């Protein structure tokens, strides 16, 4: 029997940001830092975001700039040009 944690999301309308960090790893993070993770592929980041947000792809935003995992506040974007 495989145990699976229940989704962390309390509101299906919460935004989940995905993007790459400075090392090229994929990040998925809820806008308020309620949940997030580090992933080796875009597909895994999206799969996690969909699981956590209750299967709402319309609330996933892929950022064109770098994002760093920050579980204390909204994700920070790098200041480098895209």
């Amino acid at each position: 029997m495989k145990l699976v944690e229940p989704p962390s999301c309390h509101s299906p309308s919460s935004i989940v940001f995905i993007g790459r960090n400075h090392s090229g790893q994929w990040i998925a993070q809820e806008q308020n830092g309620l949940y997030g993770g580090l992933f080796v592929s875009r597909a895994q980041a999206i799969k996690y975001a969909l699981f956590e947000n209750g299967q709402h792809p319309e609330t996933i935003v892929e950022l064109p700039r770098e994002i760093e995992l920050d579980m204390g506040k909204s994700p920070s974007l790098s200041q480098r040009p895209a």
Side-chain angles (χ1 to χ4, degrees), residues 2-18 28-30 34-37 39 42-60:
K2 184 178 178 183
L3 298 177
V4 177
E5 283 189 45
S8 303
C9 182
H10 300 303
S11 169
S13 62
S14 65
I15 303 296
V16 181
F17 296 110
I18 66 165
Q29 182 169 343
E30 193 271 339
L34 295 176
Y35 56 84
F39 303 90
R42 179 180 180 271
Q44 288 300 311
I46 290 173
K47 182 178 178 179
Y48 170 80
L50 287 169
F51 175 77
E52 289 292 343
N53 76 6
Q55 303 298 317
H56 292 277
E58 68 279 5
T59 66
I60 298 173

Side-chain angles (χ1 to χ4, degrees), residues 62-81:
E62 186 170 349
L63 299 173
R65 302 177 77 187
E66 288 182 355
I67 179 176
E68 296 299 330
L69 186 60
D70 182 354
M71 299 306 291
K73 58 182 178 179
S74 296
S76 60
L77 300 176
S78 74
Q79 299 302 314
R80 290 188 226 165

